[in-house]
Amino acid sequence: MVTYILRRLVYGSMVVVVSSFLIFVFVSTTTDPLETANLNPRISRTTLEKVTRDNHLDQPVIARYGYWVRTVVRGGFGNTIVTERPIWPDIKRVFGHTVQLVIAAEVLALLLATALGVYSAVRQYSPFDYSATTLSFLGLAIPTFWLGLILQIIFINIFLKWHVRIFYTASLSSIDPGHGVHFFLDRVQHLVLPVVTLATVQVATYSRFMRASMLEVVNADYVRTARAKGLTERIVIVRHALRNALIPLVTLSAITFGGLLGGAVITETIFGLDGMGLFFINALNGGETYSIMAWMLIVATMVVIFNIVADIVLGFLDPRIRLD
């Protein structure tokens, strides 16, 4: 198992290095880091020349990549081009906010999707199965931005009509959220609607995968053997079928989780959450090339890390995978 994990770590490290090079080259050759500064009449030509020298923008792409990697390895992503504001403190702040949103949404989605998928497979072609399938297709068809806006409208109207604040429709916390339990409750009230919005599509996707995987497993030979031994149906499903049926879901959820940690762009933008998604949109609108590259590198790294996590978990679920 140790060799298996080390091999995955080596492969993952190589992918991150190659990804960082491709990100830097593609972004650097398709964008102008000084485009926004050139359009600002208050910035003098002397200042632009100084910014160019300080950020090595007058050197070849390969040399600039080396300087950028050195900055990243030293524990930061450099500074923004014009304002020279450090990027790393902003990344740390918004990443923590996104982690709260994504973990809550993924835990909710996985619990609901696993339960729905397993029960739908066990009760195949039952009214519950048809209902779950219909709701899953609706969840996949509903655009995230539309669902978020509808939830905002519903709870804004409730507040305006009855003056009852159930959930907040924007931001991460109130102006004065308080401390301890009061802070926790305030944060929950702000996160419920974004979590529901983000989890809806995930539940729809995961439940379909879980149902399909469970249907393949429940008719396998070893499951029939377990039933023939006289085990109860609950033990057969939970101890024998569920473990192997989880393999596709683990892979899918790990990849999805890594991507979402890079920023749930639409959800965070709609609800005004100070997370990675909104950070990316602001960097894109402001033409902050190095902030964009920092975001992309974090997304790539998160995807690789959670692919490795998925491989390790799959190695425990199915020992045969460790021998491949």
Side-chain angles (χ1 to χ4, degrees), residues 126-192:
S126 66
F128 178 88
D129 184 29
Y130 286 122
S131 300
T133 300
T134 302
L135 291 175
S136 296
F137 287 142
L138 287 176
L140 291 170
I142 294 176
T144 303
F145 71 89
W146 182 86
L147 178 59
L149 293 173
I150 291 299
L151 290 175
Q152 285 180 326
I153 292 171
I154 290 173
F155 285 93
I156 287 175
N157 287 334
I158 289 175
F159 176 73
L160 293 176
K161 187 173 182 179
W162 288 292
H163 301 285
V164 176
R165 175 76 73 183
I166 302 175
F167 303 122
Y168 290 89
T169 57
S171 188
L172 269 171
S173 59
S174 303
I175 297 176
D176 184 15
H179 302 281
V181 177
H182 296 288
F183 177 84
F184 174 77
L185 293 177
D186 181 79
R187 181 57 58 90
V188 169
Q189 282 186 292
H190 281 82
L191 283 178
V192 166

Side-chain angles (χ1 to χ4, degrees), residues 61-120:
V61 173
I62 299 298
R64 288 160 55 192
Y65 172 71
Y67 286 116
W68 183 64
V69 169
R70 185 179 65 181
T71 303
V72 173
V73 171
R74 286 179 175 178
F77 290 95
N79 302 326
T80 55
I81 294 294
V82 178
T83 61
E84 296 186 347
R85 187 180 69 256
I87 296 174
W88 179 240
D90 290 337
I91 290 287
K92 285 196 299 183
R93 186 191 73 254
V94 299
F95 187 78
H97 296 161
T98 296
V99 166
Q100 296 175 34
L101 171 65
V102 171
I103 288 180
E106 283 293 293
V107 170
L108 177 64
L110 286 171
L111 291 176
L112 289 177
T114 302
L116 289 173
V118 170
Y119 198 78
S120 293

Side-chain angles (χ1 to χ4, degrees), residues 20 22 36 52 57 73 103 117 127 168 172-174 177 198 257 267 275 285 287:
S20 69
L22 295 177
T36 304
T52 300
L57 300 178
V73 171
I103 288 180
Y168 290 89
L172 269 171
S173 59
S174 303
L198 195 60
F257 189 79
T267 303
N285 292 334

